Amino acid sequence: MRGICGILSAAALLAGHATPALAQEAGTSFEQAQYEACLNLINDNPEAAYEEGLAWRAQGGSWPAMHCIALSQVALGQYGIAARRLESTAEGAVVATDETRAIMFGQAGDAWLAANEPANAERAFRRGRDFGPGDAGLALGVAEAAILQESWANAQTAAGDAIGLDAGLARGWQIRAQAHLEQGNLDAASADLNEALARDGENIEALVLRGRIAEARRTGG
């Protein structure tokens, strides 16, 4: 879901999140339809979706209007502004389900990563976990943000959480392998990397990490 640099395209941020399932929580049938229409417009014309969201908000639209505005800003590449709006929308959407609020915090974390602000991303992902403790993607987001901050112990723990929720996450095994390597635990790094490669044997970053582990063994550090 998240690249090592945390730079995600607008399409990746939107895919799998802005779905009709969220629209079903938007309130009245009219608001649901307006929400879906605004979300669908984002891919084709994010500027128009942004303007539509602003007009809707001015007419009294609640969190769905704010969410559409924020996702429009993601599509326009305004990642930091969008991330702040996504966080505030998620915090304020008290009538939405925990799952929906977790999704919005996850989107905020993704946007912060795209803005190269991993500390803010970690905060958003951790807040999302308050609403979605069983969401492996949120745990992986914490791990991604931690590894970018060179917070090796936190990355190890968060990657372990992600793996515990979904052992098929190759990226989780890879992050934990890197965290072990950076802390000098080469045996654990090798074991986790083998798990990562067993799930995604052609991943270039994982193959580079294998070379780093081999070099560390060769040089004794």
Side-chain angles (χ1 to χ4, degrees):
M1 175 170 139
R2 300 175 175 91
I4 190 169
C5 295
I7 305 302
L8 304 178
S9 68
L13 282 167
L14 297 173
H17 289 310
T19 66
L22 295 188
Q24 292 173 9
E25 293 183 38
T28 66
S29 59
F30 172 77
E31 192 166 48
Q32 289 175 22
Q34 194 165 4
Y35 187 38
E36 288 190 44
C38 194
L39 295 179
N40 290 333
L41 184 58
I42 290 171
N43 287 324
D44 295 329
N45 192 336
E47 291 184 0
Y50 175 71
E51 294 297 332
E52 184 173 306
L54 288 177
W56 181 14
R57 178 62 174 169
Q59 295 166 4
S62 58
W63 69 261
M66 295 293 291
H67 190 218
C68 188
I69 292 168
L71 291 181
S72 299
Q73 290 177 306
V74 169
L76 292 168
Q78 300 170 3
Y79 298 124
I81 296 171
R84 289 187 184 90
R85 194 183 296 275
L86 283 163
E87 281 195 86
S88 65
T89 300
E91 288 288 359
V94 294
V95 297
T97 65
D98 284 355
E99 180 182 6
T100 291
R101 296 177 81 181
I103 288 172
M104 288 193 283
F105 277 114
Q107 289 174 326
D110 284 341
W112 281 125
L113 288 180
N116 289 317
E117 297 196 35
N120 286 332
E122 182 178 351
R123 179 193 64 239
F125 287 128
R126 288 191 183 279
R127 181 62 173 139
R129 295 205 71 199
D130 290 340
F131 296 96
D135 188 321
L138 291 171
L140 185 62
V142 174
E144 292 278 10
I147 209 79
L148 288 170
Q149 297 172 85
E150 299 184 358
S151 180
W152 313 126
N154 284 339
Q156 177 185 329
T157 299
D161 289 343
I163 293 164
L165 292 166
D166 182 356
L169 285 174
R171 181 64 181 151
W173 291 103
Q174 182 185 329
I175 289 176
R176 197 169 73 171
Q178 182 181 348
H180 283 311
L181 171 62
E182 301 294 353
Q183 295 174 97
N185 192 341
L186 301 185
D187 289 342
S190 292
D192 279 355
L193 186 61
N194 287 339
E195 295 286 351
L197 289 170
R199 291 160 175 79
D200 186 3
E202 297 182 0
N203 184 282
I204 298 300
E205 293 169 0
L207 294 172
V208 170
L209 184 58
R210 183 171 66 181
R212 288 186 58 201
I213 294 170
E215 179 65 12
R217 288 192 184 280
R218 187 184 69 80
T219 61

